Structures are given as structure tokens and as C-alpha cells.
Amino acid sequence: MSTPELADHIQIVLMDPSPRSHGRDYGVLSQRKWRVGSQEAKLALIRAGIGWGRLPLWLIEQDLVEERLVQLSAAALGENGTTKSWVYLARRLDKPLLPAARCLRSALLTGAGLGDTAGLR
């Protein structure tokens, strides 16, 4: 699907309530857009066929397997219709991670498919 084809359809967009992004859109390709306040509302509208939008794979994986949703492949959406995100955990190397930070580190590594790689600092 081409970017102009996507732009012809309603894009479901998650609102950012913070003042930092007021009046700015990120990743919005369509002039026809519906703004929603939660991922759950966005998913419900997309499942209902109202429009299209980007959603995290973990949220829609079962929908894709059961063919309730299809992944759109368009250059504007990234390679194979996916967008990569980079996540960083910054910390002081002279202090040990406390339990909550160790849990966050483990979750980030697991989510990245690296497992809880002990060798990473």
C-alpha cells in the first residue's frame, strides 16, 4: 500500500495530553484522523474497521494470527510495515542497580529479545 493510499483513509491517532506536543503530529500520514485517548480505544476502532493506525506488536499479535487484523506494508510505515524504537537505560556505573531498576533492565532486555543478558552493563 502506498502512502497516498493510506492518506485516503482515516488514521486513528493516540493523543498526547502533554503540552510539549500540543499542535504537533508525529507519524500522522492522513489528513483524515480520529484522535483517541487510549491504546484500548484505538485498538477497538481499528478492529471495528473505522480506520488504520500503528499499534505495538504485543497488543495485536493474536489479532494478526487469527486474521482479525492485517499488517500494512508501506514504505512510510517502516521496513515491512514496522517501526523500530530505541530504548536506553542510563545509570551510574559506580552504584549498583536497585531492585526496581534491575526489574526494568530485565524487562527491556527481554522485550528486545536479548533475554536477561548478565554481561551487559
Side-chain angles (χ1 to χ4, degrees), residues 60-82:
I60 60 164
E61 204 159 24
Q62 196 62 37
D63 287 296
L64 294 173
V65 168
E66 296 176 9
E67 299 181 348
R68 286 189 298 266
L69 296 177
V70 296
Q71 187 170 350
L72 299 174
S73 184
L77 299 175
E79 185 178 334
N80 298 322
T82 62

Side-chain angles (χ1 to χ4, degrees), residues 19-109:
R20 296 185 78 177
S21 64
H22 182 73
R24 294 168 41 189
D25 283 329
Y26 300 97
V28 177
L29 304 176
S30 179
Q31 292 299 314
R32 301 174 58 204
K33 55 192 167 259
W34 286 17
R35 296 186 187 279
V36 295
S38 71
Q39 287 281 44
E40 294 79 11
K42 184 175 182 176
L43 177 58
L45 290 172
I46 292 171
R47 278 182 179 156
I50 303 297
W52 67 274
R54 297 175 195 230
L55 290 165
L57 182 58
W58 62 264
L59 183 62
I60 60 164
E61 204 159 24
Q62 196 62 37
D63 287 296
L64 294 173
V65 168
E66 296 176 9
E67 299 181 348
R68 286 189 298 266
L69 296 177
V70 296
Q71 187 170 350
L72 299 174
S73 184
L77 299 175
E79 185 178 334
N80 298 322
T82 62
T83 302
K84 293 181 181 176
S85 298
W86 301 100
V87 178
Y88 298 90
L89 175 63
R91 69 179 190 96
R92 291 179 51 160
L93 295 176
D94 62 336
K95 302 275 186 185
L97 288 176
L98 296 176
R102 283 195 307 270
C103 182
L104 174 61
R105 178 183 173 273
S106 177
L108 291 173
L109 290 170

